[in-house]
Amino acid sequence: MANSTEPQKPQNTKKNKKKGATLDTFYGAKIQNTEQIEDNIKENAPKPSKGNGNSPQTYEEFESEMTKKMEAFWEEKLEIMQKKFTHLQKRYDETEKENQALKARIRQLEDNDRVKEQELIKQSQNTKKLEENIKYLTDKVIDLENRGRRENLRIIGFPEKPEINTKLDMVIQDIIKENCPEILEQGGNTATDRAHRTPSTLNPQKTTPRNVIAKFQSYQTKEKILQEARKRQFRYKGMPIRVSQDLASSTLNDRKAWNMIFRKVRELGLQPRVSYPAKL
């Protein structure tokens, strides 16, 4: 049997390799790994024809063409990846700039907050000083008002009658004659500068009569009358009345805190009094 000069067919050099894992592109497309691509090239490679061995496309040419296609494919993917990376790098730079700007803003806000906190502390201190000054001035004004009323007596319990309201000066003189005539016997000056009801207008819904304020010309005479009023109950034509020092309304309101104490003390048969400027 003659030896055949036909070239032997190249053996299929495909190895039984395990397919590798697929690669994910940025757009979600899956690409086979390099080993699979090479196997596909060998499977699709043209077989040399019989005869003189000439063929339209040899295996080497096919392999070179596929290599160029693979290179072009990966260059395209690399360019896409490069663009994507450039875009991400740009976004990162922008985010970093924003982060730095936010940090600077936070530092500025913290500095402003510290400055405002210090200003608030100063304002609190100034407010406390102002409150102390207001309290001092208020107490001073009340004290001056009470000192301006030193010659005044407040008479409580006068009935609301026209014949009394029109001649209050004479009524006060009658009270002195009836309750402390010794002051007149000693030649005390019992004259008054003025006497009036307070408040000036009558409230018809109020059942109790308005108080009478009398300003005496002599402070000593006023003090003697007040001392006698503290010893016993004063009366006007048999009607009980009460005589006390005329004080500012704020001082009278403060003395109301003593009412419960006074009530208990009176139940014991005592006569409690508060002398200005006593405090609770």
Side-chain angles (χ1 to χ4, degrees), residues 215-239:
K215 180 178 176 59
F216 287 82
Q217 295 180 355
S218 173
Y219 171 76
Q220 290 79 10
T221 302
K222 187 258 336 181
E223 282 295 317
K224 290 179 181 179
I225 296 173
L226 186 60
Q227 290 176 2
E228 294 296 328
R230 289 172 179 172
K231 293 178 183 178
R232 59 182 180 272
Q233 178 72 55
F234 270 32
R235 294 181 177 275
Y236 173 68
K237 294 181 180 181
M239 181 187 303

mmCIF file with all atom_site columns, all heavy atoms in Angstrom, residues 215-239:
data_model
loop_
_atom_site.group_PDB
_atom_site.id
_atom_site.type_symbol
_atom_site.label_atom_id
_atom_site.label_alt_id
_atom_site.label_comp_id
_atom_site.label_asym_id
_atom_site.label_entity_id
_atom_site.label_seq_id
_atom_site.pdbx_PDB_ins_code
_atom_site.Cartn_x
_atom_site.Cartn_y
_atom_site.Cartn_z
_atom_site.occupancy
_atom_site.B_iso_or_equiv
_atom_site.pdbx_formal_charge
_atom_site.auth_seq_id
_atom_site.auth_comp_id
_atom_site.auth_asym_id
_atom_site.auth_atom_id
_atom_site.pdbx_PDB_model_num
ATOM 1   N N   . LYS A 1 215 ? -53.910 114.661 105.806 1.00 0.00 ? 215 LYS A N   1
ATOM 2   C CA  . LYS A 1 215 ? -52.527 115.108 105.900 1.00 0.00 ? 215 LYS A CA  1
ATOM 3   C C   . LYS A 1 215 ? -52.450 116.212 106.966 1.00 0.00 ? 215 LYS A C   1
ATOM 4   O O   . LYS A 1 215 ? -53.037 117.283 106.814 1.00 0.00 ? 215 LYS A O   1
ATOM 5   C CB  . LYS A 1 215 ? -52.028 115.637 104.574 1.00 0.00 ? 215 LYS A CB  1
ATOM 6   C CG  . LYS A 1 215 ? -50.587 116.117 104.595 1.00 0.00 ? 215 LYS A CG  1
ATOM 7   C CD  . LYS A 1 215 ? -50.140 116.575 103.222 1.00 0.00 ? 215 LYS A CD  1
ATOM 8   C CE  . LYS A 1 215 ? -48.731 117.145 103.267 1.00 0.00 ? 215 LYS A CE  1
ATOM 9   N NZ  . LYS A 1 215 ? -47.757 116.150 103.758 1.00 0.00 ? 215 LYS A NZ  1
ATOM 10  N N   . PHE A 1 216 ? -51.735 115.914 108.045 1.00 0.00 ? 216 PHE A N   1
ATOM 11  C CA  . PHE A 1 216 ? -51.602 116.858 109.145 1.00 0.00 ? 216 PHE A CA  1
ATOM 12  C C   . PHE A 1 216 ? -50.420 117.791 108.891 1.00 0.00 ? 216 PHE A C   1
ATOM 13  O O   . PHE A 1 216 ? -49.451 117.438 108.237 1.00 0.00 ? 216 PHE A O   1
ATOM 14  C CB  . PHE A 1 216 ? -51.386 116.109 110.467 1.00 0.00 ? 216 PHE A CB  1
ATOM 15  C CG  . PHE A 1 216 ? -52.619 115.426 110.973 1.00 0.00 ? 216 PHE A CG  1
ATOM 16  C CD1 . PHE A 1 216 ? -52.993 114.179 110.490 1.00 0.00 ? 216 PHE A CD1 1
ATOM 17  C CD2 . PHE A 1 216 ? -53.419 116.041 111.925 1.00 0.00 ? 216 PHE A CD2 1
ATOM 18  C CE1 . PHE A 1 216 ? -54.131 113.553 110.958 1.00 0.00 ? 216 PHE A CE1 1
ATOM 19  C CE2 . PHE A 1 216 ? -54.561 115.408 112.392 1.00 0.00 ? 216 PHE A CE2 1
ATOM 20  C CZ  . PHE A 1 216 ? -54.917 114.168 111.911 1.00 0.00 ? 216 PHE A CZ  1
ATOM 21  N N   . GLN A 1 217 ? -50.538 118.992 109.480 1.00 0.00 ? 217 GLN A N   1
ATOM 22  C CA  . GLN A 1 217 ? -49.451 119.960 109.357 1.00 0.00 ? 217 GLN A CA  1
ATOM 23  C C   . GLN A 1 217 ? -48.282 119.598 110.257 1.00 0.00 ? 217 GLN A C   1
ATOM 24  O O   . GLN A 1 217 ? -47.134 119.930 109.947 1.00 0.00 ? 217 GLN A O   1
ATOM 25  C CB  . GLN A 1 217 ? -49.956 121.367 109.693 1.00 0.00 ? 217 GLN A CB  1
ATOM 26  C CG  . GLN A 1 217 ? -50.985 121.887 108.703 1.00 0.00 ? 217 GLN A CG  1
ATOM 27  C CD  . GLN A 1 217 ? -51.468 123.255 109.045 1.00 0.00 ? 217 GLN A CD  1
ATOM 28  O OE1 . GLN A 1 217 ? -51.109 123.839 110.095 1.00 0.00 ? 217 GLN A OE1 1
ATOM 29  N NE2 . GLN A 1 217 ? -52.332 123.829 108.197 1.00 0.00 ? 217 GLN A NE2 1
ATOM 30  N N   . SER A 1 218 ? -48.565 118.914 111.344 1.00 0.00 ? 218 SER A N   1
ATOM 31  C CA  . SER A 1 218 ? -47.513 118.570 112.311 1.00 0.00 ? 218 SER A CA  1
ATOM 32  C C   . SER A 1 218 ? -47.312 117.057 112.329 1.00 0.00 ? 218 SER A C   1
ATOM 33  O O   . SER A 1 218 ? -48.270 116.294 112.544 1.00 0.00 ? 218 SER A O   1
ATOM 34  C CB  . SER A 1 218 ? -47.906 119.071 113.711 1.00 0.00 ? 218 SER A CB  1
ATOM 35  O OG  . SER A 1 218 ? -46.982 118.604 114.679 1.00 0.00 ? 218 SER A OG  1
ATOM 36  N N   . TYR A 1 219 ? -46.059 116.655 112.074 1.00 0.00 ? 219 TYR A N   1
ATOM 37  C CA  . TYR A 1 219 ? -45.739 115.221 112.116 1.00 0.00 ? 219 TYR A CA  1
ATOM 38  C C   . TYR A 1 219 ? -45.860 114.684 113.533 1.00 0.00 ? 219 TYR A C   1
ATOM 39  O O   . TYR A 1 219 ? -46.310 113.552 113.753 1.00 0.00 ? 219 TYR A O   1
ATOM 40  C CB  . TYR A 1 219 ? -44.315 115.004 111.573 1.00 0.00 ? 219 TYR A CB  1
ATOM 41  C CG  . TYR A 1 219 ? -43.795 113.606 111.760 1.00 0.00 ? 219 TYR A CG  1
ATOM 42  C CD1 . TYR A 1 219 ? -44.242 112.563 110.947 1.00 0.00 ? 219 TYR A CD1 1
ATOM 43  C CD2 . TYR A 1 219 ? -42.874 113.331 112.767 1.00 0.00 ? 219 TYR A CD2 1
ATOM 44  C CE1 . TYR A 1 219 ? -43.767 111.281 111.126 1.00 0.00 ? 219 TYR A CE1 1
ATOM 45  C CE2 . TYR A 1 219 ? -42.392 112.046 112.945 1.00 0.00 ? 219 TYR A CE2 1
ATOM 46  C CZ  . TYR A 1 219 ? -42.832 111.019 112.129 1.00 0.00 ? 219 TYR A CZ  1
ATOM 47  O OH  . TYR A 1 219 ? -42.363 109.748 112.316 1.00 0.00 ? 219 TYR A OH  1
ATOM 48  N N   . GLN A 1 220 ? -45.480 115.497 114.557 1.00 0.00 ? 220 GLN A N   1
ATOM 49  C CA  . GLN A 1 220 ? -45.543 115.043 115.945 1.00 0.00 ? 220 GLN A CA  1
ATOM 50  C C   . GLN A 1 220 ? -46.985 114.788 116.378 1.00 0.00 ? 220 GLN A C   1
ATOM 51  O O   . GLN A 1 220 ? -47.281 113.809 117.077 1.00 0.00 ? 220 GLN A O   1
ATOM 52  C CB  . GLN A 1 220 ? -44.882 116.092 116.873 1.00 0.00 ? 220 GLN A CB  1
ATOM 53  C CG  . GLN A 1 220 ? -43.378 116.189 116.737 1.00 0.00 ? 220 GLN A CG  1
ATOM 54  C CD  . GLN A 1 220 ? -42.940 116.982 115.520 1.00 0.00 ? 220 GLN A CD  1
ATOM 55  O OE1 . GLN A 1 220 ? -43.772 117.629 114.867 1.00 0.00 ? 220 GLN A OE1 1
ATOM 56  N NE2 . GLN A 1 220 ? -41.641 116.944 115.218 1.00 0.00 ? 220 GLN A NE2 1
ATOM 57  N N   . THR A 1 221 ? -47.863 115.663 115.958 1.00 0.00 ? 221 THR A N   1
ATOM 58  C CA  . THR A 1 221 ? -49.282 115.466 116.295 1.00 0.00 ? 221 THR A CA  1
ATOM 59  C C   . THR A 1 221 ? -49.817 114.196 115.644 1.00 0.00 ? 221 THR A C   1
ATOM 60  O O   . THR A 1 221 ? -50.563 113.429 116.282 1.00 0.00 ? 221 THR A O   1
ATOM 61  C CB  . THR A 1 221 ? -50.097 116.681 115.840 1.00 0.00 ? 221 THR A CB  1
ATOM 62  O OG1 . THR A 1 221 ? -49.603 117.871 116.461 1.00 0.00 ? 221 THR A OG1 1
ATOM 63  C CG2 . THR A 1 221 ? -51.569 116.495 116.182 1.00 0.00 ? 221 THR A CG2 1
ATOM 64  N N   . LYS A 1 222 ? -49.447 113.981 114.409 1.00 0.00 ? 222 LYS A N   1
ATOM 65  C CA  . LYS A 1 222 ? -49.903 112.758 113.729 1.00 0.00 ? 222 LYS A CA  1
ATOM 66  C C   . LYS A 1 222 ? -49.405 111.515 114.456 1.00 0.00 ? 222 LYS A C   1
ATOM 67  O O   . LYS A 1 222 ? -50.160 110.538 114.635 1.00 0.00 ? 222 LYS A O   1
ATOM 68  C CB  . LYS A 1 222 ? -49.395 112.754 112.287 1.00 0.00 ? 222 LYS A CB  1
ATOM 69  C CG  . LYS A 1 222 ? -49.941 111.628 111.428 1.00 0.00 ? 222 LYS A CG  1
ATOM 70  C CD  . LYS A 1 222 ? -49.102 110.443 111.157 1.00 0.00 ? 222 LYS A CD  1
ATOM 71  C CE  . LYS A 1 222 ? -47.673 110.444 111.214 1.00 0.00 ? 222 LYS A CE  1
ATOM 72  N NZ  . LYS A 1 222 ? -46.954 109.219 110.895 1.00 0.00 ? 222 LYS A NZ  1
ATOM 73  N N   . GLU A 1 223 ? -48.174 111.513 114.921 1.00 0.00 ? 223 GLU A N   1
ATOM 74  C CA  . GLU A 1 223 ? -47.616 110.370 115.637 1.00 0.00 ? 223 GLU A CA  1
ATOM 75  C C   . GLU A 1 223 ? -48.334 110.146 116.968 1.00 0.00 ? 223 GLU A C   1
ATOM 76  O O   . GLU A 1 223 ? -48.593 109.000 117.356 1.00 0.00 ? 223 GLU A O   1
ATOM 77  C CB  . GLU A 1 223 ? -46.119 110.587 115.882 1.00 0.00 ? 223 GLU A CB  1
ATOM 78  C CG  . GLU A 1 223 ? -45.251 110.314 114.661 1.00 0.00 ? 223 GLU A CG  1
ATOM 79  C CD  . GLU A 1 223 ? -45.283 108.860 114.256 1.00 0.00 ? 223 GLU A CD  1
ATOM 80  O OE1 . GLU A 1 223 ? -45.219 107.982 115.154 1.00 0.00 ? 223 GLU A OE1 1
ATOM 81  O OE2 . GLU A 1 223 ? -45.420 108.582 113.054 1.00 0.00 ? 223 GLU A OE2 1
ATOM 82  N N   . LYS A 1 224 ? -48.695 111.222 117.672 1.00 0.00 ? 224 LYS A N   1
ATOM 83  C CA  . LYS A 1 224 ? -49.414 111.067 118.944 1.00 0.00 ? 224 LYS A CA  1
ATOM 84  C C   . LYS A 1 224 ? -50.795 110.445 118.710 1.00 0.00 ? 224 LYS A C   1
ATOM 85  O O   . LYS A 1 224 ? -51.228 109.562 119.467 1.00 0.00 ? 224 LYS A O   1
ATOM 86  C CB  . LYS A 1 224 ? -49.563 112.429 119.613 1.00 0.00 ? 224 LYS A CB  1
ATOM 87  C CG  . LYS A 1 224 ? -48.245 112.991 120.145 1.00 0.00 ? 224 LYS A CG  1
ATOM 88  C CD  . LYS A 1 224 ? -48.476 114.357 120.782 1.00 0.00 ? 224 LYS A CD  1
ATOM 89  C CE  . LYS A 1 224 ? -47.143 114.941 121.293 1.00 0.00 ? 224 LYS A CE  1
ATOM 90  N NZ  . LYS A 1 224 ? -47.340 116.282 121.901 1.00 0.00 ? 224 LYS A NZ  1
ATOM 91  N N   . ILE A 1 225 ? -51.483 110.916 117.673 1.00 0.00 ? 225 ILE A N   1
ATOM 92  C CA  . ILE A 1 225 ? -52.800 110.339 117.365 1.00 0.00 ? 225 ILE A CA  1
ATOM 93  C C   . ILE A 1 225 ? -52.649 108.860 117.009 1.00 0.00 ? 225 ILE A C   1
ATOM 94  O O   . ILE A 1 225 ? -53.454 108.018 117.442 1.00 0.00 ? 225 ILE A O   1
ATOM 95  C CB  . ILE A 1 225 ? -53.462 111.115 116.217 1.00 0.00 ? 225 ILE A CB  1
ATOM 96  C CG1 . ILE A 1 225 ? -53.741 112.561 116.636 1.00 0.00 ? 225 ILE A CG1 1
ATOM 97  C CG2 . ILE A 1 225 ? -54.754 110.433 115.784 1.00 0.00 ? 225 ILE A CG2 1
ATOM 98  C CD1 . ILE A 1 225 ? -54.232 113.438 115.494 1.00 0.00 ? 225 ILE A CD1 1
ATOM 99  N N   . LEU A 1 226 ? -51.622 108.521 116.232 1.00 0.00 ? 226 LEU A N   1
ATOM 100 C CA  . LEU A 1 226 ? -51.418 107.124 115.831 1.00 0.00 ? 226 LEU A CA  1
ATOM 101 C C   . LEU A 1 226 ? -51.091 106.244 117.039 1.00 0.00 ? 226 LEU A C   1
ATOM 102 O O   . LEU A 1 226 ? -51.575 105.102 117.138 1.00 0.00 ? 226 LEU A O   1
ATOM 103 C CB  . LEU A 1 226 ? -50.290 107.050 114.799 1.00 0.00 ? 226 LEU A CB  1
ATOM 104 C CG  . LEU A 1 226 ? -50.035 105.690 114.164 1.00 0.00 ? 226 LEU A CG  1
ATOM 105 C CD1 . LEU A 1 226 ? -51.286 105.193 113.412 1.00 0.00 ? 226 LEU A CD1 1
ATOM 106 C CD2 . LEU A 1 226 ? -48.854 105.756 113.201 1.00 0.00 ? 226 LEU A CD2 1
ATOM 107 N N   . GLN A 1 227 ? -50.305 106.763 117.988 1.00 0.00 ? 227 GLN A N   1
ATOM 108 C CA  . GLN A 1 227 ? -49.986 105.983 119.191 1.00 0.00 ? 227 GLN A CA  1
ATOM 109 C C   . GLN A 1 227 ? -51.233 105.730 120.031 1.00 0.00 ? 227 GLN A C   1
ATOM 110 O O   . GLN A 1 227 ? -51.422 104.638 120.567 1.00 0.00 ? 227 GLN A O   1
ATOM 111 C CB  . GLN A 1 227 ? -48.942 106.727 120.019 1.00 0.00 ? 227 GLN A CB  1
ATOM 112 C CG  . GLN A 1 227 ? -47.564 106.760 119.366 1.00 0.00 ? 227 GLN A CG  1
ATOM 113 C CD  . GLN A 1 227 ? -46.565 107.590 120.145 1.00 0.00 ? 227 GLN A CD  1
ATOM 114 O OE1 . GLN A 1 227 ? -46.900 108.128 121.221 1.00 0.00 ? 227 GLN A OE1 1
ATOM 115 N NE2 . GLN A 1 227 ? -45.352 107.722 119.614 1.00 0.00 ? 227 GLN A NE2 1
ATOM 116 N N   . GLU A 1 228 ? -52.102 106.735 120.149 1.00 0.00 ? 228 GLU A N   1
ATOM 117 C CA  . GLU A 1 228 ? -53.346 106.552 120.896 1.00 0.00 ? 228 GLU A CA  1
ATOM 118 C C   . GLU A 1 228 ? -54.259 105.550 120.191 1.00 0.00 ? 228 GLU A C   1
ATOM 119 O O   . GLU A 1 228 ? -54.940 104.745 120.845 1.00 0.00 ? 228 GLU A O   1
ATOM 120 C CB  . GLU A 1 228 ? -54.067 107.889 121.065 1.00 0.00 ? 228 GLU A CB  1
ATOM 121 C CG  . GLU A 1 228 ? -53.331 108.883 121.935 1.00 0.00 ? 228 GLU A CG  1
ATOM 122 C CD  . GLU A 1 228 ? -53.197 108.399 123.381 1.00 0.00 ? 228 GLU A CD  1
ATOM 123 O OE1 . GLU A 1 228 ? -54.113 107.679 123.847 1.00 0.00 ? 228 GLU A OE1 1
ATOM 124 O OE2 . GLU A 1 228 ? -52.185 108.712 124.024 1.00 0.00 ? 228 GLU A OE2 1
ATOM 125 N N   . ALA A 1 229 ? -54.270 105.556 118.846 1.00 0.00 ? 229 ALA A N   1
ATOM 126 C CA  . ALA A 1 229 ? -55.104 104.626 118.094 1.00 0.00 ? 229 ALA A CA  1
ATOM 127 C C   . ALA A 1 229 ? -54.618 103.198 118.259 1.00 0.00 ? 229 ALA A C   1
ATOM 128 O O   . ALA A 1 229 ? -55.414 102.247 118.163 1.00 0.00 ? 229 ALA A O   1
ATOM 129 C CB  . ALA A 1 229 ? -55.114 105.007 116.617 1.00 0.00 ? 229 ALA A CB  1
ATOM 130 N N   . ARG A 1 230 ? -53.342 103.014 118.534 1.00 0.00 ? 230 ARG A N   1
ATOM 131 C CA  . ARG A 1 230 ? -52.804 101.672 118.737 1.00 0.00 ? 230 ARG A CA  1
ATOM 132 C C   . ARG A 1 230 ? -53.143 101.142 120.137 1.00 0.00 ? 230 ARG A C   1
ATOM 133 O O   . ARG A 1 230 ? -53.146 99.930  120.355 1.00 0.00 ? 230 ARG A O   1
ATOM 134 C CB  . ARG A 1 230 ? -51.284 101.689 118.562 1.00 0.00 ? 230 ARG A CB  1
ATOM 135 C CG  . ARG A 1 230 ? -50.853 101.887 117.106 1.00 0.00 ? 230 ARG A CG  1
ATOM 136 C CD  . ARG A 1 230 ? -49.359 102.095 116.996 1.00 0.00 ? 230 ARG A CD  1
ATOM 137 N NE  . ARG A 1 230 ? -48.948 102.254 115.594 1.00 0.00 ? 230 ARG A NE  1
ATOM 138 C CZ  . ARG A 1 230 ? -47.715 102.606 115.214 1.00 0.00 ? 230 ARG A CZ  1
ATOM 139 N NH1 . ARG A 1 230 ? -46.790 102.857 116.150 1.00 0.00 ? 230 ARG A NH1 1
ATOM 140 N NH2 . ARG A 1 230 ? -47.446 102.735 113.936 1.00 0.00 ? 230 ARG A NH2 1
ATOM 141 N N   . LYS A 1 231 ? -53.455 102.049 121.063 1.00 0.00 ? 231 LYS A N   1
ATOM 142 C CA  . LYS A 1 231 ? -53.747 101.627 122.432 1.00 0.00 ? 231 LYS A CA  1
ATOM 143 C C   . LYS A 1 231 ? -55.204 101.200 122.600 1.00 0.00 ? 231 LYS A C   1
ATOM 144 O O   . LYS A 1 231 ? -55.507 100.303 123.396 1.00 0.00 ? 231 LYS A O   1
ATOM 145 C CB  . LYS A 1 231 ? -53.436 102.776 123.402 1.00 0.00 ? 231 LYS A CB  1
ATOM 146 C CG  . LYS A 1 231 ? -51.949 103.107 123.480 1.00 0.00 ? 231 LYS A CG  1
ATOM 147 C CD  . LYS A 1 231 ? -51.733 104.291 124.421 1.00 0.00 ? 231 LYS A CD  1
ATOM 148 C CE  . LYS A 1 231 ? -50.262 104.706 124.477 1.00 0.00 ? 231 LYS A CE  1
ATOM 149 N NZ  . LYS A 1 231 ? -50.045 105.877 125.348 1.00 0.00 ? 231 LYS A NZ  1
ATOM 150 N N   . ARG A 1 232 ? -56.092 101.841 121.881 1.00 0.00 ? 232 ARG A N   1
ATOM 151 C CA  . ARG A 1 232 ? -57.512 101.560 122.080 1.00 0.00 ? 232 ARG A CA  1
ATOM 152 C C   . ARG A 1 232 ? -58.275 101.741 120.776 1.00 0.00 ? 232 ARG A C   1
ATOM 153 O O   . ARG A 1 232 ? -57.744 102.277 119.810 1.00 0.00 ? 232 ARG A O   1
ATOM 154 C CB  . ARG A 1 232 ? -58.094 102.475 123.169 1.00 0.00 ? 232 ARG A CB  1
ATOM 155 C CG  . ARG A 1 232 ? -57.959 103.949 122.862 1.00 0.00 ? 232 ARG A CG  1
ATOM 156 C CD  . ARG A 1 232 ? -58.518 104.795 124.021 1.00 0.00 ? 232 ARG A CD  1
ATOM 157 N NE  . ARG A 1 232 ? -58.401 106.223 123.764 1.00 0.00 ? 232 ARG A NE  1
ATOM 158 C CZ  . ARG A 1 232 ? -57.345 106.950 124.064 1.00 0.00 ? 232 ARG A CZ  1
ATOM 159 N NH1 . ARG A 1 232 ? -56.288 106.369 124.608 1.00 0.00 ? 232 ARG A NH1 1
ATOM 160 N NH2 . ARG A 1 232 ? -57.341 108.261 123.816 1.00 0.00 ? 232 ARG A NH2 1
ATOM 161 N N   . GLN A 1 233 ? -59.527 101.323 120.804 1.00 0.00 ? 233 GLN A N   1
ATOM 162 C CA  . GLN A 1 233 ? -60.411 101.431 119.646 1.00 0.00 ? 233 GLN A CA  1
ATOM 163 C C   . GLN A 1 233 ? -60.949 102.849 119.539 1.00 0.00 ? 233 GLN A C   1
ATOM 164 O O   . GLN A 1 233 ? -61.545 103.378 120.482 1.00 0.00 ? 233 GLN A O   1
ATOM 165 C CB  . GLN A 1 233 ? -61.567 100.439 119.786 1.00 0.00 ? 233 GLN A CB  1
ATOM 166 C CG  . GLN A 1 233 ? -62.587 100.489 118.672 1.00 0.00 ? 233 GLN A CG  1
ATOM 167 C CD  . GLN A 1 233 ? -62.043 99.921  117.371 1.00 0.00 ? 233 GLN A CD  1
ATOM 168 O OE1 . GLN A 1 233 ? -61.585 98.790  117.335 1.00 0.00 ? 233 GLN A OE1 1
ATOM 169 N NE2 . GLN A 1 233 ? -62.094 100.724 116.316 1.00 0.00 ? 233 GLN A NE2 1
ATOM 170 N N   . PHE A 1 234 ? -60.745 103.492 118.389 1.00 0.00 ? 234 PHE A N   1
ATOM 171 C CA  . PHE A 1 234 ? -61.283 104.826 118.156 1.00 0.00 ? 234 PHE A CA  1
ATOM 172 C C   . PHE A 1 234 ? -62.740 104.713 117.711 1.00 0.00 ? 234 PHE A C   1
ATOM 173 O O   . PHE A 1 234 ? -63.150 103.726 117.096 1.00 0.00 ? 234 PHE A O   1
ATOM 174 C CB  . PHE A 1 234 ? -60.475 105.552 117.076 1.00 0.00 ? 234 PHE A CB  1
ATOM 175 C CG  . PHE A 1 234 ? -59.318 106.338 117.619 1.00 0.00 ? 234 PHE A CG  1
ATOM 176 C CD1 . PHE A 1 234 ? -58.637 105.907 118.752 1.00 0.00 ? 234 PHE A CD1 1
ATOM 177 C CD2 . PHE A 1 234 ? -58.900 107.509 117.005 1.00 0.00 ? 234 PHE A CD2 1
ATOM 178 C CE1 . PHE A 1 234 ? -57.570 106.627 119.253 1.00 0.00 ? 234 PHE A CE1 1
ATOM 179 C CE2 . PHE A 1 234 ? -57.833 108.228 117.500 1.00 0.00 ? 234 PHE A CE2 1
ATOM 180 C CZ  . PHE A 1 234 ? -57.163 107.797 118.625 1.00 0.00 ? 234 PHE A CZ  1
ATOM 181 N N   . ARG A 1 235 ? -63.506 105.758 118.029 1.00 0.00 ? 235 ARG A N   1
ATOM 182 C CA  . ARG A 1 235 ? -64.908 105.786 117.653 1.00 0.00 ? 235 ARG A CA  1
ATOM 183 C C   . ARG A 1 235 ? -65.264 107.178 117.160 1.00 0.00 ? 235 ARG A C   1
ATOM 184 O O   . ARG A 1 235 ? -64.641 108.177 117.540 1.00 0.00 ? 235 ARG A O   1
ATOM 185 C CB  . ARG A 1 235 ? -65.802 105.415 118.839 1.00 0.00 ? 235 ARG A CB  1
ATOM 186 C CG  . ARG A 1 235 ? -65.632 103.971 119.295 1.00 0.00 ? 235 ARG A CG  1
ATOM 187 C CD  . ARG A 1 235 ? -66.550 103.632 120.457 1.00 0.00 ? 235 ARG A CD  1
ATOM 188 N NE  . ARG A 1 235 ? -66.424 102.232 120.822 1.00 0.00 ? 235 ARG A NE  1
ATOM 189 C CZ  . ARG A 1 235 ? -67.084 101.232 120.259 1.00 0.00 ? 235 ARG A CZ  1
ATOM 190 N NH1 . ARG A 1 235 ? -67.959 101.508 119.287 1.00 0.00 ? 235 ARG A NH1 1
ATOM 191 N NH2 . ARG A 1 235 ? -66.917 100.006 120.666 1.00 0.00 ? 235 ARG A NH2 1
ATOM 192 N N   . TYR A 1 236 ? -66.291 107.208 116.324 1.00 0.00 ? 236 TYR A N   1
ATOM 193 C CA  . TYR A 1 236 ? -66.846 108.489 115.872 1.00 0.00 ? 236 TYR A CA  1
ATOM 194 C C   . TYR A 1 236 ? -68.351 108.442 116.116 1.00 0.00 ? 236 TYR A C   1
ATOM 195 O O   . TYR A 1 236 ? -69.090 107.693 115.479 1.00 0.00 ? 236 TYR A O   1
ATOM 196 C CB  . TYR A 1 236 ? -66.549 108.719 114.389 1.00 0.00 ? 236 TYR A CB  1
ATOM 197 C CG  . TYR A 1 236 ? -67.241 109.933 113.818 1.00 0.00 ? 236 TYR A CG  1
ATOM 198 C CD1 . TYR A 1 236 ? -66.870 111.220 114.230 1.00 0.00 ? 236 TYR A CD1 1
ATOM 199 C CD2 . TYR A 1 236 ? -68.272 109.795 112.891 1.00 0.00 ? 236 TYR A CD2 1
ATOM 200 C CE1 . TYR A 1 236 ? -67.511 112.332 113.720 1.00 0.00 ? 236 TYR A CE1 1
ATOM 201 C CE2 . TYR A 1 236 ? -68.907 110.912 112.363 1.00 0.00 ? 236 TYR A CE2 1
ATOM 202 C CZ  . TYR A 1 236 ? -68.533 112.177 112.791 1.00 0.00 ? 236 TYR A CZ  1
ATOM 203 O OH  . TYR A 1 236 ? -69.178 113.288 112.294 1.00 0.00 ? 236 TYR A OH  1
ATOM 204 N N   . LYS A 1 237 ? -68.762 109.229 117.114 1.00 0.00 ? 237 LYS A N   1
ATOM 205 C CA  . LYS A 1 237 ? -70.160 109.263 117.540 1.00 0.00 ? 237 LYS A CA  1
ATOM 206 C C   . LYS A 1 237 ? -70.653 107.846 117.847 1.00 0.00 ? 237 LYS A C   1
ATOM 207 O O   . LYS A 1 237 ? -71.741 107.439 117.433 1.00 0.00 ? 237 LYS A O   1
ATOM 208 C CB  . LYS A 1 237 ? -71.036 109.907 116.467 1.00 0.00 ? 237 LYS A CB  1
ATOM 209 C CG  . LYS A 1 237 ? -70.723 111.377 116.245 1.00 0.00 ? 237 LYS A CG  1
ATOM 210 C CD  . LYS A 1 237 ? -71.635 111.997 115.199 1.00 0.00 ? 237 LYS A CD  1
ATOM 211 C CE  . LYS A 1 237 ? -71.317 113.473 114.986 1.00 0.00 ? 237 LYS A CE  1
ATOM 212 N NZ  . LYS A 1 237 ? -72.210 114.100 113.985 1.00 0.00 ? 237 LYS A NZ  1
ATOM 213 N N   . GLY A 1 238 ? -69.829 107.121 118.586 1.00 0.00 ? 238 GLY A N   1
ATOM 214 C CA  . GLY A 1 238 ? -70.184 105.764 118.984 1.00 0.00 ? 238 GLY A CA  1
ATOM 215 C C   . GLY A 1 238 ? -69.932 104.713 117.932 1.00 0.00 ? 238 GLY A C   1
ATOM 216 O O   . GLY A 1 238 ? -70.034 103.508 118.197 1.00 0.00 ? 238 GLY A O   1
ATOM 217 N N   . MET A 1 239 ? -69.578 105.106 116.695 1.00 0.00 ? 239 MET A N   1
ATOM 218 C CA  . MET A 1 239 ? -69.317 104.162 115.604 1.00 0.00 ? 239 MET A CA  1
ATOM 219 C C   . MET A 1 239 ? -67.832 103.798 115.588 1.00 0.00 ? 239 MET A C   1
ATOM 220 O O   . MET A 1 239 ? -66.982 104.693 115.585 1.00 0.00 ? 239 MET A O   1
ATOM 221 C CB  . MET A 1 239 ? -69.726 104.786 114.263 1.00 0.00 ? 239 MET A CB  1
ATOM 222 C CG  . MET A 1 239 ? -69.525 103.867 113.073 1.00 0.00 ? 239 MET A CG  1
ATOM 223 S SD  . MET A 1 239 ? -69.841 104.770 111.528 1.00 0.00 ? 239 MET A SD  1
ATOM 224 C CE  . MET A 1 239 ? -71.534 105.326 111.816 1.00 0.00 ? 239 MET A CE  1
#
